[in-house]
Amino acid sequence: MGRIVRITGPVVIADDMRGSEMYELVRVGDEQLMGEIIGLTGDRATIQVYEETTGIKPGEKVEGTGRPLSVELGPGLIGAIYDGTQRPLTVIREKVGDMIRRGVFAPALPREKKWDFVPRVKKGAEVVEGDVLGTVKESKIVEHRIMVPPGVRGKVLEISEGQHKVEDVIAVLETSEGKKNVRMMQIWPVRRARPFKEKLEPNLPLLTGQRVADTFFPIAKGGTAAIPGGFGTGKTVFLQQVAKWADADIITYIGAGERGNEMCDVLVHFPELKDPRTGESLMDRTALIANTSNMPVAAREAGVYTGITIAEYFRDMGYDVALMADSTSRWAEAMREISGRLEEMPGEEGFPAYLASRLAEFYERAGRVRTLGSDERFGSVTVLGAVSPPGGDLSEPVSQNTLRIVKVFWALDTGLAYRRHFPAINWLTSYSMYINNVQEWWKSKTNEDWKSLRDEAIAMLQKEAELEEIVKLVGPDALPEPERAVLESARMMREDFLQQFALHEVDTYCAPEKQIGMLKIIMEFYRNAVEAAKRGIPVEEIRKLPVKESIAGMKRLTAEEFAKQYRKMEKQLREQFDYLLRMKRAPAAEDKCSG
Amino acid sequence: MKSREYLTVAEVYGPLMIVEGVSGVAYGEVVDITTPDGEVKHGQVLDAYEDRAVIQVYEGTRGIDTFKTKVRFRGETVKFGVGLEVLGRIFSGRGEPIDGGPKPIFEDEWDVHGAPINPSAREYPSEFIQTGISVIDGMNTLVRGQKLPIFSGAGLPHNELVAQIARQAKVLGEEEKFAVVFCGMGITHEEAAFFINGFEKSGAIERATVFLNLANDPAIERILTPRLALTTAEYLAFTQGMHVLVILTDMTNYCEALREISAARSEVPGRRGYPGYMYTDLASIYERAGRIKGRKGSVTQMPVLTMPADDITHPIPDLTGYITEGQLVMERELHRKGIYPPINPLPSLSRLMKDGIGEGHTREDHMDVSNQLYAAYAEGRDIRSLVAVVGEEALTERDRSYLAFADRFEREFVNQGRDEDRPIETTLDLGWELLRSLPESELKRVDPKFIAKYLRPK
């Protein structure tokens, strides 16, 4: 048993700690606060404490637990809200009231709750690690698969159907080392990635229902994305939109060092929202980690690992999991704070030298995999990390180290946010490296050449940016008509396609079929407008076409309404441009215009 | 814990003092320091070793020597008395009454650092507070339990604005107990007098508690002042069921004090010499705003900070903006034009607006009007900068209407009197009035049904 010799903020130094291991979980002080060993020198240990340390004195004791910081994995994770060390916040509230007090313990998974376990294997079956022994209906949409833990294989001696608590033995296996009890709950150290058979190339899109992401900068299932932006650019709103509408089976949302009211927002609004695929409450597939900015920083550091371990566990069952980390910058700052207290030699901007490797390690836990188990199961963890660069300047270490790793970059733009262009994702600086991977999916799903359409649209927006530069110097009047037609069409693309209103009941989610339909109509307008302008039709005339209003109204149409309207709009568009061209040839027939 | 006294000050530098040969000192413990000439100072333990303690001294270290100074460890962490008697009183930055009145009788003593509100215990803020100021109510709505700072600059009228909000703020259709907690950090005597006279004139002093750390008061004391104010606010809100508006001014001075201590401890600095933990430290102040399920009261914060050189990317506004639920940004250009309040809505934001407005809160068309005004004003300002280069003749008809809109918007919508209290309906109707000057096909942010109802009424 050790003894505290120094306390400075979240860092405690203890002597007489011989026999302790790196990353071992310890109990600090008379109140038994949770801590983790992050440094050892002789028998002196440096400990980061996950709870407030005010009032702790040198001389108080430190006890080792002999195990690393771990999470409990089993039924009860869905719909729960945890702090960074997986303490269940709703249970803590029942125990100690509305404010979080330190030194409170509560198991992460409810111990008394009984789950209906339905076996999948029979007595006598040979099973290996990762095999599904049976299932539990955890929520209306999540079937929780109870698996043989990693490193275990053998013959099923007993398997017990029926009502069980998480700690109950649900199966007994005959292994090479004797009998082994398998419980419903597994325990796994958070800093170790869970094993799988093989990593695969991500080739399915994770559909988010957000047009700028799905159509322009798609993310693949098992991919990684960073979403950096200054304050007020809408990082959190965008991540929450993805958490709501992504076609993942499970969502893990980590609030690391962010606002309490934001987590409350998720808790209040997710249960009310319906998953567009299953029609059930979105909370029925979501697990939350909330370590807000005023909760202890060391727990913030741990929370990111807690979240990704939970995500991996569901991946191992064969699910597609999307994990949101908001914000990785706050996580990095937690590392910086601890590192500063340890008086380590700092790297850039005071961040520890190991910042880059920690970020890389974390994002590398994403991926689409063939899971353990004798059946062929595939699962994925997609990681979406918010980055909060100081002053919105992306040259800072967290942004730079993140961009080196991730494959999708959704660049939030303060200028767009100021003019309330939301999502404020800049279409010129953002990128996705999954375009070629997901191309096939779009082809087979919508039967459209998504990639060419998308490339053409981006080229148009690029052209707009170039023209804007000229306009800034000489004014819009100086441009030739075909170029003004490009500006007109690009504006339509921005306002009627890229802008998506998260709070509108219909526009909040846009199905892929509708996205490509909208894109086709706008590109059709663009081609016609440029062609018409070339043939001498003034852009003023094109601007007055009634079809423009129908296009502006597309967002507000549900997917079904849109599918019905689509042909009509296409026809309307063609007819109106034809009419303009005919008018050009025979201006006398003007009064026959029907619109 | 028992209190112990030592005469073993080993080192004094900047705001810090090291005492040796101590035992059983707790992290965060309070100490009383008696200097050789009898002055009593206060401090707190920042780093606790077995036989040594690093102490930050709130009143500054002047007069402390290494021979005769007595240091008494009180055996407790920093606490402050709470009770209804604090209403109507003025305290120093350390919590001593300075209005000449007797020491109030407290009902309890609370740890000034508070405890984080359990995120699952939070009630989502959704009650609209009418400030009577169009650019706030209409476009950056404040709700109960929100923390909405004012980003200002030296010489801008943030004090007038805050005082006006404190005077006018109300929740429609409700008669509930409310209070104002005012926390001045490093402000001048003149500024403090402006607020106190204002409170006295409007009679608000009866339900206000004032904490004052003036510019010539010890800088380190400022670390404590907002925590006293928020402890008081939490008591009034969550024990007494009051709706409390907390005004914290000026957070820039607070951050300077934080930097001073960090530098004295020779910590590894983050950006511009501010400590790496400034985000966490500021969060421990700002996150104390909110509502709690099942309790009546609320803590709403309105911190004021002056952006050094009007730079919004400076670490103080930057870190604040990342924690608070939006910001109101004052702009010098508007101020020069004589617009009051000179709030530029474009960089301003209220994150909690969405649930506090609309049908049942303000009016059904609120969100759409606000979005349309934003988009139109942004477009208007873009065109204004274009005009500077190419001249007005080069503009199209459409562009000219936006240009005119932007001017009217500033003069009629943003601009209002220092005593003018505009109801929300007036604000929204004014918004429609301005939008009427744009071509109808440009109003893409507004639901067509509202156009029929409000743009062309009757």
Side-chain angles (χ1 to χ4, degrees), chain A residues 303-317:
Chain A
V304 167
Y305 295 104
T306 300
I308 199 150
T309 309
I310 293 173
E312 285 174 338
Y313 173 67
F314 280 105
R315 172 204 69 190
D316 292 347
M317 293 180 204

Side-chain angles (χ1 to χ4, degrees), chain A residues 415-430:
Chain A
L416 292 175
Y418 281 5
R419 66 191 55 228
R420 297 309 189 256
H421 173 113
F422 285 122
I425 292 177
N426 186 312
W427 49 90
L428 298 175
T429 46
S430 299

Side-chain angles (χ1 to χ4, degrees), chain A residues 405-416:
Chain A
I405 310 158
V406 298
K407 297 280 188 289
V408 177
F409 172 51
W410 288 321
L412 290 171
D413 189 311
T414 312
L416 292 175

Side-chain angles (χ1 to χ4, degrees), chain A residues 542-586:
Chain A
I542 298 173
R543 193 177 283 154
K544 284 183 196 142
L545 289 181
V547 72
K548 270 196 70 193
E549 268 180 46
S550 319
I551 292 176
M554 292 193 296
K555 288 179 183 186
R556 298 181 204 269
L557 301 176
T558 61
E560 295 77 45
E561 287 165 350
F562 179 76
K564 269 189 230 148
Q565 296 277 330
Y566 179 76
R567 295 274 162 236
K568 216 170 102 193
M569 279 171 62
E570 223 180 12
K571 190 161 156 257
Q572 206 187 357
L573 193 145
R574 226 177 303 121
E575 283 174 358
Q576 289 178 13
F577 272 103
D578 282 351
Y579 174 77
L580 275 187
L581 290 171
R582 262 186 287 123
M583 274 306 89
K584 168 83 179 154
R585 272 178 253 127

